[in-house]
């Protein structure tokens, strides 16, 4: 477990692909406790990444910190940015995707709905194409809402599934879903000061095809 930063209120780390975010056996809180060598340490999830998704994640080290960070998530002042590789190239080099999403708990999949309804929620993100290679596009994404599978289904519904995301129509690939939690910005729950943490994805497929692209 790679830890980027820790104090007595928060811990920022790189979540590996294949690990759930929630506090259950093998989940991120348990893994952090193992890393800290304290099975009873207070480690709380405040934002979730899909199990298949890797990248920067922050966890709270106290109940109060968890409450304050969760409030920022609800107020949409907790900023989340991602990198993704799409199977295809968007028509526009940048834009906003706005949809109504319904998450089906039985099938564990989300889908775009044509009209409002029970359990249908608005999903909004901004994207910008950073580069293209072999008919695929590297995109920078800023989330405005945090719906389950939001990035995956919003692009897939436009015929642009993320590489490796078989659940939403992509072909099988020899790597995890091409979605990386790149940057987090929020107010520190103790000091109230703005903090920022970021990490680029590893220099391996599919990211290595875009190593010459400028992220900023």
């Amino acid at each position: 477990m790679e830890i980027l930063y820790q104090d007595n209120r928060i811990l920022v780390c790189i979540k590996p692909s294949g690990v759930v975010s929630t506090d259950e056996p093998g989940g991120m809180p348990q893994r952090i406790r193992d890393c800290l060598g304290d099975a009873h340490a207070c480690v709380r999830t405040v934002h979730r990444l899909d199990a298949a998704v890797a990248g920067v994640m922050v966890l709270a080290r106290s109940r109060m910190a968890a409450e304050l960070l969760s409030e920022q998530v609800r107020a949409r002042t907790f900023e989340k940015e991602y990198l993704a590789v799409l199977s295809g190239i968007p028509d526009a080099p940048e834009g906003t995707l706005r949809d109504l999403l319904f998450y089906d708990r039985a099938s564990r999949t989300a889908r775009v709905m044509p009209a409002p309804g029970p359990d249908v929620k608005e999903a909004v993100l901004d994207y910008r194409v950073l580069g293209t290679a072999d008919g695929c596009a590297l995109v920078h994404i800023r989330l405005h809402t945090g719906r389950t599978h939001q990035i995956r289904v919003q692009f897939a519904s436009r015929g642009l599934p993320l590489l490796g995301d078989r659940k939403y129509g992509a072909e099988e690939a020899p790597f995890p879903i091409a979605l990386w939690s790149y940057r987090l910005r929020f107010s520190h729950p103790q000091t109230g000061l703005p903090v920022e943490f970021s990490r680029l994805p590893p220099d391996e497929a599919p990211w290595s095809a875009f190593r010459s692209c400028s992220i900023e």
Side-chain angles (χ1 to χ4, degrees):
M1 185 67 64
E2 183 180 1
I3 295 176
L4 304 182
Y5 173 84
Q6 63 175 313
D7 59 28
N8 61 351
R9 292 293 180 264
I10 63 172
L11 184 146
V12 183
C13 64
I14 300 299
K15 175 191 169 299
S17 176
V19 179
V20 296
S21 299
T22 48
D23 198 351
E24 56 189 273
M28 285 298 294
Q30 183 192 64
R31 288 195 170 208
I32 292 299
R33 293 186 191 105
D34 292 343
C35 186
L36 296 174
D38 183 355
H40 303 291
C42 181
V43 181
R44 298 177 181 235
T45 300
V46 293
H47 71 110
R48 298 187 182 186
L49 298 175
D50 294 346
V53 178
V56 182
M57 183 176 184
V58 60
L59 297 103
R61 297 288 305 276
S62 72
R63 179 184 60 81
M64 183 60 71
E67 292 176 358
L68 292 171
L69 289 172
S70 295
E71 176 56 34
Q72 292 181 50
V73 173
R74 289 190 293 271
R76 300 184 184 179
T77 58
F78 186 109
E79 298 182 31
K80 295 176 281 186
E81 300 177 27
Y82 293 78
L83 297 173
V85 180
L86 309 180
S87 301
I89 301 172
D91 293 333
E94 59 183 86
T96 298
L97 304 187
R98 189 182 301 271
D99 294 294
L100 296 173
L101 298 189
F102 171 75
Y103 182 70
D104 186 339
R105 296 185 181 279
S107 64
R108 296 185 178 182
T109 57
R111 61 179 180 269
V112 173
M113 303 299 287
D119 298 320
V120 175
K121 299 178 180 180
E122 184 181 45
V124 184
L125 64 79
D126 295 330
Y127 78 88
R128 178 167 53 93
V129 176
L130 301 176
T132 61
D134 301 322
C136 298
L138 174 68
V139 294
H140 172 271
I141 299 160
R142 185 186 299 274
L143 277 184
H144 296 288
T145 55
R147 311 307 179 196
T148 302
H149 295 184
Q150 176 179 336
I151 295 172
R152 298 163 64 182
V153 72
Q154 284 197 274
F155 281 105
S157 69
R158 292 164 171 81
L160 299 165
L162 277 59
L163 284 186
D165 194 358
R166 295 183 62 193
K167 178 172 283 191
Y168 289 104
E171 297 181 358
E172 187 171 1
F175 44 75
I177 294 173
L179 181 59
W180 179 266
S181 174
Y182 163 56
R183 176 182 285 147
L184 298 177
R185 293 190 184 97
F186 53 91
S187 296
H188 192 285
Q190 183 171 34
T191 67
L193 296 175
V195 291
E196 175 182 312
F197 302 94
S198 65
R199 174 61 62 88
L200 291 172
D203 189 17
E204 58 190 39
W207 311 104
S208 54
F210 302 92
R211 62 167 62 93
S212 62
C213 296
S214 174
I215 302 302
E216 299 298 334

